[in-house]
Amino acid sequence: RVGVFAWKETATLLGENIAASLSPFEPADVLDELETTSVAGFARAEVWLADAWMLAAGARVSRDETEARERSAGLPPIAAERAETTGTFDATAAWEWRAGSRTGFRFAVGSRPGGFDTGVPEVAGAPAQLRDHGDERALHYEWFAENALWNERVTFDLRLFWTDYERYLLCLDSGFGHRCSNGGGALARGVEMGVRVRPAAGALVQLTATRLDAELDDHRAVDRSQPRFIPGTTVQNPLFGVQIDLDGRPLLRAPRWQVGALARWELDASWIGAPWLGALTPSVDVLYQSRTAHRVFDPDRLQRPTLLVGSSLRWSSASRRWHVIAFVQNWLDHDKIALVHATSSQ
């Protein structure tokens, strides 16, 4: 399989500053408009060895360009751009012991650049958010199992995963603007369990539960909000703050628990005697996420839980070659999305 896709999005946000808007990790406090253009290409191949063994490999490269335009009362407009190219490669080996039931391993590696590509060269005294940083890399390991029962009407899923981030990019408020570094790493590991039920032709009900443990690994940073003296002394701290060992601190906005549900039903027009009309597939999905940390230096200060409800309606032609989808991603929790953007600094 080979494919290319592109999309363009324009968003008007409230409560962020322009440098934070260009950061993938740290929204902060003023705002502007964001225009994002994304183009990606992917390729994937599968090879079956005998009847039970399958090997697969895939790759994807994407290019994302974001332009931020800030307009504040009494100040001239500000504009900045950020562009990045990311790439991933994955390989899978699986053994299928009967129809719909299989187990296997998956490995993936990906990288993304750091920094803020504003076109402004780094000079002495330049704001930290205009400086460039090294790339971020991730290695992902996964074991999965699927067990289909009762003529594949019920399928149980189990997945164990471990993701190791090298040079994880972390952006903190230094008191003089956002300062980013990626000298340390991060770990994300967990387990996902699920069940899929097909009660009738074209109908699907799916339930999933995920337990995630995501934390910083071998990271140190300076907390600028702390006194500028070495604790217990009158000696001034040359780093203008207190060195904090962030090893084991939770990753920002990474829910420890996540529960999801999905229901959809494909309604073929043949039941009304008009198969040439194709089919309509309504669906509803619900996602609950537990409270998450949003301040590195205060990991006990948590955001409230998230409840997202989405829906979609898809039309498929009779040949299944053409599809049109209309969807709403978030019916209920607009205030939570705004709260995350408005309060997530440090």
Side-chain angles (χ1 to χ4, degrees):
R1 286 183 289 175
V2 178
V4 177
F5 65 89
W7 59 272
K8 189 170 186 176
E9 178 185 60
T10 301
T12 301
L13 308 177
L14 297 175
E16 293 192 22
N17 63 35
I18 197 166
S21 301
L22 294 177
S23 165
F25 300 101
E26 296 295 332
D29 43 72
V30 190
L31 200 94
D32 35 273
E33 294 179 350
L34 294 179
E35 184 175 279
T36 301
T37 302
S38 180
V39 179
F42 65 90
R44 185 170 182 81
E46 294 184 359
V47 178
W48 285 87
L49 306 178
D51 294 329
W53 290 93
M54 184 271 291
L55 299 178
R60 169 176 167 164
V61 177
S62 62
R63 173 73 174 179
D64 298 293
E65 298 181 356
T66 300
E67 180 181 356
R69 297 178 293 273
E70 180 179 304
R71 293 191 299 268
S72 301
L75 296 175
I78 301 175
E81 297 180 354
R82 181 173 190 270
E84 65 178 19
T85 301
T86 61
T88 59
F89 170 80
D90 69 271
T92 303
W95 171 55
E96 186 174 73
W97 67 87
R98 67 166 180 264
S101 299
R102 62 176 186 164
T103 185
F105 293 91
R106 179 173 179 264
F107 167 77
V109 57
S111 66
R112 61 176 296 169
F116 304 91
D117 184 9
T118 62
V120 179
E122 182 177 344
V123 296
Q129 59 265 29
L130 300 184
R131 299 175 185 168
D132 204 11
H133 304 279
D135 64 336
E136 179 187 59
R137 299 177 184 176
L139 299 175
H140 178 82
Y141 308 90
E142 177 182 322
W143 171 80
F144 60 89
E146 302 173 2
N147 189 14
L149 304 173
W150 301 296
N151 293 325
E152 300 185 50
R153 288 191 174 274
V154 179
T155 301
F156 294 95
D157 301 316
L158 178 62
R159 188 168 68 96
L160 305 178
F161 57 89
W162 177 293
T163 303
D164 185 358
Y165 294 90
E166 299 178 357
R167 301 198 299 273
Y168 183 78
L169 182 61
L170 182 65
C171 298
L172 303 172
D173 188 349
S174 66
F176 305 96
H178 280 64
R179 184 176 298 277
C180 301
S181 65
N182 52 2
L187 294 174
R189 56 247 179 185
V191 56
E192 180 179 280
M193 297 175 290
V195 58
R196 287 171 285 161
V197 181
R198 296 175 175 82
L204 172 67
V205 177
Q206 179 174 307
L207 301 174
T208 59
T210 305
R211 173 64 163 83
L212 175 66
D213 184 12
E215 61 187 30
L216 294 171
D217 180 46
D218 193 25
H219 247 294
R220 297 185 66 84
V222 177
D223 186 353
R224 305 277 174 171
S225 66
Q226 298 298 317
R228 295 188 178 185
F229 296 93
I230 297 176
T233 74
T234 58
V235 179
Q236 187 173 8
N237 189 336
L239 296 177
F240 299 101
V242 177
Q243 278 275 359
I244 302 295
D245 185 359
L246 301 180
D247 190 21
R249 299 287 179 96
L251 293 190
L252 305 184
R253 295 177 294 281
R256 189 172 292 270
W257 288 98
Q258 183 169 287
V259 179
L262 167 70
R264 71 167 180 250
W265 195 348
E266 181 179 287
L267 304 173
D268 197 306
S270 60
W271 68 278
I272 61 173
W276 60 89
L277 293 178
L280 288 178
T281 305
S283 69
V284 176
D285 58 273
V286 179
L287 178 66
Y288 169 83
Q289 295 178 329
S290 63
R291 302 177 70 184
T292 60
H294 70 106
R295 293 179 65 90
V296 171
F297 294 126
D298 187 7
D300 295 327
R301 183 177 178 181
L302 304 177
Q303 290 280 7
R304 65 176 176 80
T306 300
L307 179 63
L308 299 176
V309 178
S311 62
S312 69
L313 181 63
R314 182 181 68 184
W315 171 81
S316 303
S317 64
S319 64
R320 297 302 189 270
R321 296 181 61 184
W322 300 97
H323 305 275
V324 177
I325 302 176
F327 61 89
V328 176
Q329 292 180 319
N330 180 21
W331 282 104
L332 302 177
D333 218 11
H334 298 283
D335 59 332
K336 170 60 186 299
I337 302 302
L339 178 65
V340 170
H341 282 287
T343 62
S344 297
S345 62
Q346 296 186 355

